[in-house]
Amino acid sequence: MNNNFSKKFIASLMLTSLCLSNVLLTSAAMENPPVLRGEASSGEYSLKLKGDVSYIKTKTPVSISLRDSDVKQVLRMFADKAGMNIIFHNSVNGTVTLDLVDVPLNEAFDMVMNINDLNYVVQNGTIVVAKAGTSGFNMAKQDMTLIPVKYVSASAIAEFLNKNIYGMHKPGLSDGDIVTTNPVTNELIVFGSTNDVAIAKKVVEKFDLKPKTTTFKVKHTTPAEMANMICQMLIPATGGSGGGATGGAAGIATGFAAGGALDVGGSSGSGGGSGSGLTLNGGDIACTLDGKMGGSVSSFGLQNLSIAYYAQQGTISILGGSDKQIEMIQEFIENTDKKQPQAYLEVAIVELNESGSKSLQNNWTFLSNAFSATFNGGTTATDPMHPIFFKGNKYEVWDTTSEKPELINTLNKFSGPVNISLAINYLVRNSKGRVVSNPKIMITNGETSTIDITQDYIETTDIEQTAYTGGTLATRTYNIGSDAGIQVEITPFISPDGYVTLNIKPEYATILRQETTKDSAGVDYIAATLLSRRNLDLKNIRIKDGETLVIAGLINEEEQKVVGKVPVLGDLPGIGALFRSSSTEKTKNEMVIMITPKIITDTEDAVTDTL
């Protein structure tokens, strides 16, 4: 008897302790409930993509603990608690294990639906449950609702809803494509339930915004150059037909569409056009940020961030973009749209020509009855007026080219006394010339300027023979060259410390000679023209403001000497000089370039420096 009483007492004590521990655990759970869903941070937009159905109006919590229970029975228990009917499709199966403490009934129902990959619709107080993605399970398509779209493309929003919301098996929403459009009125047509329409309206409210256009004035850089710099340097690109800088700095990449491609092209913008017609205020699109990306989630097919420029207005327009993007582009324009320094460049090009010749001629003449001879400037021959006669005393020269022969001259045998004569001719000739060009140009920092003082010439001649009935016709085509003369390319860098660094490329070409030939008719024509060139390529020549750089030494010097003499007598020492003739010619050409830069200081810059 006592033993039975002891067993009952111990059992009662254990039951009391178990109940007390359950009470303490329940109290602790009530004070620190489990965190089921995080809250959205401030500044972000959160949209719940599920059916917003309240099975009961009050937020009555439930506490339940089950192990490997049939999911149908669990959902039936939740429906009974909510006072609603429930119907299961034959695709619903599986078990669920849960421990919930003080969780709202609606949230408990949603969690069970999510972990078992189930979907449902509510119709007239009855919950219809089926496996997500079940073919033919879409009872909500019986309703049709029209939602107007004001600014953006309704088809883009419809595609976004079908692929990202209704096609993702969200509990409480239709499962499949239920949105189409009326392109005439730009409206959405939603074949769905109240929950489907509510989600669609929230998406339209968020994304149906008037496109934002921001215009910036460009002062010192051309709009085309600034737009291209923004497209290729500022906006990060991961590919695309136009290229651009890949990746970019972390600060630059912030805010741009991930995976977007930069498409840089020359497509015409608003007001643009092609052909020879008159275009007023025409614009060109510099680049468009392509927001399309891969994966199962579809992006909006709306107007992407586009950058256009208007050359006549001097402006750049940005269509779309976030506030941070616009702020970044504005900061980039302010930092890069700077006034380029200029300089006044005075160039003096002097071409010096000097030529001279020196000639010494010994002319000998020997005349006798039997023999005559002459030595004239290196040519030894008989006297042309008194040749040697081996028989007879005279000779008549007739012109037989005409119809009637004509007597030209009569050559007689020398009949006087023996005659020996010497004529000395010594001549020195010098000439000097100077050709001066003094162009004055304005140069801009980093821009190449060209001074071109050249002339045209016949470079080559092409002859084409054409046969016709009466013979052959020759047609000449002259190929004209235009680089004979002086050409100077100058690229400056104007530094703030009063120095100008120049890249100078002078080219000097003169006509050396022209090669001629004869055509089929025996007429001379220019076959080719040969040039003599003197070129330089100077890099990073640093000149102080107001000082002069002199480039000299482009000299071309030629000397030619010709000696003629009487055979044997001209080689005798001493006296042989009387039987020799000599001629010396010397030419010398030199080009001198003098460059003087003068940095231009605008009035506003001078005032700023003074302040």
Side-chain angles (χ1 to χ4, degrees):
M1 185 71 179
N2 292 332
N3 189 20
N4 291 334
F5 178 78
S6 299
K7 290 181 179 180
K8 291 181 180 180
F9 179 76
I10 294 174
S12 300
L13 184 62
M14 292 178 63
L15 181 62
T16 303
S17 62
L18 180 61
C19 293
L20 182 60
S21 62
N22 288 336
V23 172
L24 294 176
L25 289 174
T26 303
S27 177
M30 293 292 289
E31 293 178 359
N32 300 294
V35 179
L36 301 179
R37 192 182 305 271
E39 297 294 335
S41 61
S42 60
E44 296 180 356
Y45 181 82
S46 178
L47 177 63
K48 294 183 179 180
L49 299 180
K50 65 177 183 179
D52 189 13
V53 180
S54 296
Y55 309 112
I56 55 177
K57 299 300 180 181
T58 61
K59 296 183 179 180
T60 302
V62 295
S63 298
I64 187 171
S65 177
L66 299 173
R67 296 291 183 273
D68 297 328
S69 299
D70 183 53
V71 66
K72 294 181 181 179
Q73 299 302 323
V74 175
L75 294 177
R76 285 183 61 191
M77 181 171 53
F78 288 161
D80 291 340
K81 187 72 174 177
M84 299 184 69
N85 301 321
I86 190 166
I87 299 176
F88 296 100
H89 190 268
N90 57 10
S91 61
V92 179
N93 53 57
T95 60
V96 62
T97 298
L98 52 85
D99 284 297
L100 300 178
V101 178
D102 200 19
V103 177
L105 177 61
N106 292 334
E107 292 187 9
F109 181 85
D110 287 335
M111 286 188 287
V112 173
M113 298 291 291
N114 283 326
I115 63 175
N116 286 274
D117 195 21
L118 300 176
N119 196 3
Y120 69 93
V121 293
V122 178
Q123 185 175 4
N124 297 327
T126 300
I127 306 173
V128 182
V129 183
K131 195 75 173 179
T134 301
S135 176
F137 177 72
N138 199 349
M139 297 180 62
K141 278 190 175 180
Q142 57 186 339
D143 297 330
M144 183 180 75
T145 306
L146 300 180
I147 302 176
V149 181
K150 297 179 181 178
Y151 302 107
V152 301
S153 171
S155 60
I157 296 182
E159 182 180 4
F160 179 84
L161 289 170
N162 287 330
K163 289 186 177 181
N164 297 329
I165 297 179
Y166 303 122
M168 292 295 182
H169 314 311
K170 306 294 182 181
L173 300 179
S174 295
D175 195 355
D177 295 343
I178 65 168
V179 183
T180 186
T181 63
N182 181 3
V184 178
T185 58
N186 198 41
E187 290 178 317
L188 292 179
I189 303 177
V190 182
F191 295 93
S193 64
T194 304
N195 291 331
D196 298 327
V197 174
I199 292 294
K201 287 183 177 180
K202 291 180 181 179
V203 171
V204 171
E205 181 183 357
K206 176 61 180 177
F207 296 104
D208 186 25
L209 303 176
K210 184 177 181 180
K212 180 173 59 175
T213 302
T214 309
T215 302
F216 297 102
K217 189 76 173 179
V218 180
K219 298 180 181 179
H220 307 294
T221 308
T222 64
E225 291 175 340
M226 180 59 68
N228 288 331
M229 284 193 295
I230 294 174
C231 292
Q232 298 178 12
M233 298 173 58
L234 183 63
I235 298 180
T238 59
S241 61
T246 303
I252 293 178
T254 302
F256 286 91
L262 181 65
D263 183 13
V264 181
S267 57
S268 298
S270 60
S274 59
S276 58
L278 180 64
T279 301
L280 298 178
N281 298 329
D284 294 306
I285 296 178
C287 62
T288 298
L289 188 65
D290 187 2
K292 294 183 178 180
M293 56 184 296
S296 60
V297 180
S298 175
S299 62
F300 263 111
L302 303 178
Q303 174 64 48
N304 304 311
L305 173 66
S306 298
I307 299 176
Y309 62 91
Y310 297 82
Q312 296 179 354
Q313 300 179 14
T315 57
I316 294 177
S317 295
I318 313 298
L319 179 61
S322 64
D323 294 338
K324 291 298 182 181
Q325 287 176 323
I326 300 302
E327 181 181 345
M328 180 174 57
I329 293 175
Q330 180 180 6
E331 183 179 356
F332 180 83
I333 293 177
E334 291 176 354
N335 293 334
T336 55
D337 186 28
K338 300 294 184 180
K339 183 185 300 182
Q340 294 295 325
Q342 292 182 321
Y344 171 78
L345 197 66
E346 183 173 354
V347 183
I349 303 175
V350 182
E351 182 182 2
L352 303 177
N353 299 319
E354 182 178 353
S355 63
S357 64
K358 181 174 64 173
S359 62
L360 173 62
Q361 293 183 354
N362 291 312
N363 299 326
W364 285 90
T365 303
F366 176 79
L367 297 173
S368 66
N369 294 334
F371 180 76
S372 66
T374 62
F375 171 71
N376 184 5
T379 302
T380 304
T382 60
D383 188 350
M385 298 304 297
H386 302 285
I388 301 174
F389 286 87
F390 296 96
K391 184 179 180 181
N393 294 321
K394 66 178 180 179
Y395 172 72
E396 294 179 349
V397 180
W398 292 83
D399 182 10
T400 59
T401 58
S402 59
E403 296 181 359
K404 183 179 181 181
E406 181 181 357
L407 179 64
I408 298 177
N409 201 353
T410 300
L411 303 179
N412 297 314
K413 183 178 180 181
F414 184 74
S415 58
V418 176
N419 188 338
I420 300 175
S421 63
L422 170 63
I424 299 176
N425 185 9
Y426 181 72
L427 177 64
V428 176
R429 181 175 58 86
N430 291 317
S431 63
K432 294 183 179 181
R434 184 176 70 169
V435 179
V436 179
S437 300
N438 190 20
K440 301 176 178 64
I441 60 175
M442 292 286 293
I443 55 176
T444 304
N445 198 22
E447 298 294 334
T448 300
S449 301
T450 302
I451 301 172
D452 192 346
I453 310 173
T454 56
Q455 62 183 8
D456 296 340
Y457 62 94
I458 299 176
E459 189 173 19
T460 57
T461 304
D462 298 331
I463 293 186
E464 182 178 355
Q465 301 286 345
T466 304
Y468 66 101
T469 305
T472 303
L473 177 64
T475 304
R476 295 182 184 176
T477 302
Y478 297 100
N479 301 316
I480 304 300
S482 59
D483 56 343
I486 301 171
Q487 184 172 341
V488 183
E489 290 187 359
I490 301 174
T491 305
F493 172 73
I494 306 170
S495 63
D497 59 352
Y499 282 87
V500 179
T501 303
L502 300 175
N503 288 343
I504 309 172
K505 188 177 182 180
E507 297 180 354
Y508 180 40
T510 57
I511 297 177
L512 180 62
R513 66 176 181 273
Q514 291 181 328
E515 300 291 342
T516 60
T517 187
K518 295 182 181 297
D519 57 13
S520 59
V523 180
D524 291 336
Y525 68 91
I526 299 174
T529 301
L530 304 180
L531 298 181
S532 175
R533 301 181 183 273
R534 281 164 282 174
N535 301 334
L536 286 178
D537 193 356
L538 307 178
K539 301 290 187 181
N540 299 328
I541 306 300
R542 197 163 184 256
I543 315 171
K544 191 175 182 180
D545 180 23
E547 293 185 352
T548 301
L549 171 67
V550 179
I551 303 174
L554 299 176
I555 301 174
N556 182 25
E557 187 172 355
E558 296 181 1
E559 183 175 355
Q560 185 177 12
K561 185 175 183 180
V562 179
V563 178
K565 59 186 177 179
V566 178
V568 181
L569 296 178
D571 295 327
L572 296 176
I575 195 173
L578 297 175
F579 299 94
R580 290 194 301 266
S581 295
S582 63
S583 175
T584 303
E585 293 186 0
K586 184 177 182 180
T587 59
K588 180 180 179 181
N589 296 325
E590 181 180 5
M591 185 178 68
V592 179
I593 302 176
M594 293 175 286
I595 299 175
T596 304
K598 297 179 181 178
I599 299 177
I600 298 176
T601 303
D602 291 345
T603 304
E604 57 184 68
D605 296 336
V607 172
T608 302
D609 294 340
T610 303
L611 294 177

